[in-house]
Amino acid sequence: MPRHLAALSAMALSIVAPQWAGATTYTRDEAVRIALEKSSDVKTAEEEVISANSQVDAGYGNALPSIDLDATVTRIFGLDDVNPSDSSMAMELISLGQEKGFGDPSPWDAMALGAINGVVNGMKSQAYRWQSSVGLTATQILYAQGKVGTGIEIAKAYKHVKEVNLENTKANVRYNVENAFDQLIFLDSSIVILHQSKDMLQENLNFVEQGLKSGMMTELDLIRIQLKMDQLNSQINSTEKKRVLARNALLNTMGLEWESEVMFQGDLRDPLQGYTYPDTSMANVKKRRKELVMLEASEEMLQKNVSIEEGGYKPTIVLVGGLKYSNNKNHFYQWDAPDWDDNINKYVALNLKLNLFNGMKTKEAVVQAKSNLRSTQIQKETAERGFRVQIESCANTLEDANSQIEIAKRQIDLAQKNYDLTNDSYKLGRETQLNLLNAENDLRTAKLGYMQAIVNWNQAYNALLQATGEY
C-alpha cells in the first residue's frame, strides 16, 4: 500500500481531534458505559423491571390470607337515654293488677314480669345513642379456578418480558452510541483532510501570487484559486458545525448535558483485520433476537390469561373467620370491658360463589383473551419473516461496503497520482490552473469517500450483528 494511503487508513480508523488542557475526554467504552448508566431509555426499562418484580410478589400475596381491621363509631340522634336496670315496666304492671283486685303477684307472676322487663330493656339497648364496634376479619381463598396460581405465572412471564426488554434496550443504546461515535470519527478526520487540502491550496495560492508579480500568472488565475479557497473554508466551517451537532447528539444519547469542551477518542474496526462474519443461521437467530424472546414470553402470558378468563365459569370458595367487639352506650366515654363470652362475637363462614349470568361478560372476556393471543402469535410469525429479510438486506449492505472500500482505495491512489503529475506540470507551465484545481478537488473527494466507505462498513457490520442478535 502506498505511504499516502497507509497514512489515510490510519487516520480513517481513529479520531484525530485537537486536544487542549482541561478538556473532558471519553473513549468509546466510556461513552457506552455512561450511556448504559444514564440513558433515560435504560432507566425507564429498569423501573419496568422493578414494577414487574413487585407484581410477582403481589401475586404470591394473593395466595395468603387477607386480615382486615374494621372500626365503626355511630352517633344516633333523637333517642332517650337507656337504663338497663329500670324495672318500672314490671312495677307498673304489679300496681295495675293490685288496682284490679288481683292482689300481690305470685312467684311465677314475678318471674314472668321480670322476663317482660328484660325484653323491654333489651329492645331499648339496641337504640343507644352511641354505638361502636371493632372487628378483625381473616379471609382465605380456598379455590378460585386457578386464578391465584395462574396469576403468579403470568406475573413471572411479564417479569421475564421486562428483563429481556431491559437487555434489548441496553443493546439498542450501545448500538446508537457506537454509530454516533463512528460518525464523530468521520467528521473529525474529514476536518483534518480538509485542512490538509487547504494547506495544498494555500501552497498553490502562494505560487500564483508570486507568478502574478513576475507576470507569469494572470489576475484570473488568482481569482479562481481565491474562489476555491473561499469554498474550502466554507466547507470546513460547515463540517465543524456538523461535528458540534454530532457531539451534542452523542452526549444526549449518553444522558449527559452538552459540554463545549468535551472530546471523544477512539477508533473504528479495520476491515482488513478479518472480523468474524456473524452467524446468520435462522435457528440461532431466533434464539438470540430479544424481540422474538419477548414475543414468545408474551404469548405464554396471554395463553395463561385465557385460562384465567375461562375460570369465570367456575365457582370461588372462600373461608372467612372473624372477631367483633360491640359497645352501645348513652355516652361516648362509656365503654364496657371486652368479654369473650359477653360482647365479643366469634364466627367462621364458608362462602361459595358461582356466577350464573353476567350479561355474557365472561364469554366475551374469553373471546378477547383468545384474540389477543392470536394477535401476538401473528406478530411473532411476522417478526420471524422480517428477521430473514433484515439479515439478507444487512448482508448485502456489508458486501457492498466491502466492494466500496476497494473502489475507494483505487480512487485515492489514482487521484493522488493525478494531482502530483498535474501539480508538477502546472509549475512548469504545461498544465492549466483549472485542471490543477480539479485534481486537488478530486483528491480531497477521494479521501473523504474512502473515509466514508470505512464508516459505512463499520455501520453495516454493526447492523448485521444487530440483525443476527449478536450485538
Side-chain angles (χ1 to χ4, degrees):
M1 180 185 295
R3 283 189 302 173
H4 64 270
L5 188 55
L8 182 60
S9 297
M11 181 175 62
L13 294 172
S14 62
I15 289 183
V16 183
Q19 302 288 332
W20 57 85
T24 303
T25 303
Y26 297 110
T27 64
R28 181 188 294 268
D29 289 341
E30 289 173 340
V32 171
R33 177 181 57 79
I34 292 173
L36 293 179
E37 292 175 356
K38 297 182 176 294
S39 169
S40 58
D41 292 338
V42 173
K43 289 182 178 180
T44 299
E46 289 174 341
E47 291 299 325
E48 290 176 350
V49 171
I50 294 174
S51 175
N53 283 325
S54 177
Q55 291 186 36
V56 173
D57 294 338
Y60 280 111
N62 291 331
L64 301 175
S66 173
I67 301 176
D68 301 297
L69 176 66
D70 177 61
T72 304
V73 177
T74 304
R75 173 66 167 92
I76 301 176
F77 297 92
L79 298 178
D80 296 329
D81 287 349
V82 177
N83 184 4
S85 62
D86 183 13
S87 60
S88 58
M89 174 65 72
M91 296 306 297
E92 289 177 4
L93 291 174
I94 293 173
S95 298
L96 182 61
Q98 290 174 341
E99 290 177 3
K100 296 294 185 181
F102 295 118
D104 294 332
S106 66
W108 296 106
D109 292 334
M111 290 176 61
L113 292 174
I116 293 174
N117 195 76
V119 171
V120 172
N121 286 328
M123 295 175 63
K124 289 182 177 181
S125 67
Q126 301 301 315
Y128 279 103
R129 290 183 296 178
W130 288 96
Q131 300 183 7
S132 307
S133 65
V134 178
L136 193 65
T137 305
T139 305
Q140 174 65 60
I141 298 176
L142 300 180
Y143 177 75
Q145 60 272 358
K147 285 187 177 181
V148 175
T150 306
I152 293 174
E153 295 301 320
I154 289 178
K156 289 181 178 179
Y158 180 72
K159 173 187 174 183
H160 181 55
V161 169
K162 292 306 177 181
E163 289 173 341
V164 176
N165 178 64
L166 175 59
E167 295 176 8
N168 191 51
T169 300
K170 289 181 177 180
N172 288 335
V173 168
R174 185 165 58 250
Y175 178 80
N176 292 334
V177 169
E178 293 200 353
N179 278 343
F181 207 95
D182 291 346
Q183 187 63 23
L184 273 179
I185 292 176
F186 170 72
L187 292 171
D188 277 322
S189 299
S190 296
I191 291 173
V192 173
I193 291 175
L194 292 173
H195 279 288
Q196 290 175 347
S197 182
K198 182 178 179 180
D199 292 340
M200 290 190 298
L201 197 60
Q202 184 63 48
E203 181 182 346
N204 290 328
L205 176 59
N206 296 337
F207 179 79
V208 171
E209 289 175 343
Q210 292 295 327
L212 183 60
K213 292 178 181 179
S214 63
M216 295 176 59
M217 300 291 178
T218 66
E219 186 176 358
L220 180 59
D221 294 326
L222 179 62
I223 292 174
R224 284 174 179 167
I225 198 167
Q226 286 176 336
L227 286 174
K228 287 291 184 181
M229 182 64 78
D230 290 342
Q231 292 173 356
L232 183 56
N233 285 330
S234 176
Q235 187 176 0
I236 291 173
N237 185 50
S238 176
T239 305
E240 288 175 343
K241 289 180 179 179
K242 289 179 181 179
R243 188 203 175 278
V244 171
L245 292 176
R247 179 202 63 197
N248 291 339
L250 177 53
L251 288 172
N252 185 61
T253 303
M254 292 167 60
L256 298 178
E257 297 291 336
W258 292 4
E259 187 177 348
S260 60
E261 295 185 355
V262 69
M263 299 299 300
F264 292 92
Q265 186 175 6
D267 52 21
L268 294 167
R269 296 185 185 91
D270 185 357
L272 300 178
Q273 296 297 321
Y275 285 89
T276 303
Y277 195 81
D279 177 17
T280 58
S281 169
M282 281 305 302
N284 294 329
V285 169
K286 290 179 181 180
K287 297 177 183 178
R288 292 191 300 262
R289 283 299 295 256
K290 296 178 177 62
E291 299 90 339
L292 190 57
V293 174
M294 285 190 289
L295 286 172
E296 289 174 346
S298 297
E299 180 183 10
E300 177 186 357
M301 183 171 60
L302 291 172
Q303 284 175 339
K304 295 181 182 299
N305 189 56
V306 172
S307 300
I308 284 184
E309 297 299 343
E310 289 177 341
Y313 295 115
K314 301 176 183 179
T316 301
I317 301 176
V318 179
L319 179 64
V320 182
L323 301 173
K324 185 175 182 180
Y325 163 72
S326 298
N327 182 74
N328 299 331
K329 292 295 180 181
N330 293 317
H331 302 284
F332 177 78
Y333 54 82
Q334 293 178 338
W335 287 81
D336 291 332
D339 186 280
W340 184 260
D341 297 318
D342 184 18
N343 53 16
I344 294 181
N345 182 29
K346 289 89 56 186
Y347 62 93
V348 175
L350 187 65
N351 175 264
L352 184 146
K353 180 179 180 181
L354 176 63
N355 177 258
L356 299 179
F357 180 74
N358 60 2
M360 310 299 287
K361 291 181 181 179
T362 300
K363 176 179 178 297
E364 297 307 323
V366 172
V367 171
Q368 294 171 24
K370 290 182 177 179
S371 177
N372 292 335
L373 172 60
R374 183 54 189 153
S375 295
T376 300
Q377 291 172 339
I378 293 172
Q379 289 179 23
K380 187 178 72 171
E381 295 166 2
T382 303
E384 291 178 0
R385 294 194 300 269
F387 292 157
R388 291 187 177 92
V389 175
Q390 182 184 11
I391 290 172
E392 182 178 357
S393 175
C394 292
N396 290 339
T397 302
L398 182 60
E399 182 179 353
D400 183 62
N402 278 315
S403 301
Q404 292 301 318
I405 288 176
E406 296 302 321
I407 294 173
K409 287 179 182 178
R410 292 195 298 271
Q411 288 179 337
I412 287 180
D413 193 37
L414 293 174
Q416 185 68 51
K417 290 179 179 178
N418 179 55
Y419 175 80
D420 292 340
L421 293 174
T422 303
N423 189 37
D424 293 341
S425 298
Y426 175 71
K427 290 179 179 179
L428 296 174
R430 298 175 183 176
E431 190 58 85
T432 65
Q433 183 195 42
L434 185 59
N435 286 341
L436 176 62
L437 295 176
N438 288 336
E440 188 275 332
N441 185 69
D442 290 343
L443 177 58
R444 179 170 66 251
T445 301
K447 289 180 178 180
L448 294 174
Y450 176 73
M451 288 209 33
Q452 186 64 66
I454 294 291
V455 173
N456 290 345
W457 184 92
N458 275 266
Q459 292 180 343
Y461 188 79
N462 286 341
L464 185 56
L465 286 176
Q466 186 185 52
T468 57
E470 292 186 27
Y471 196 82

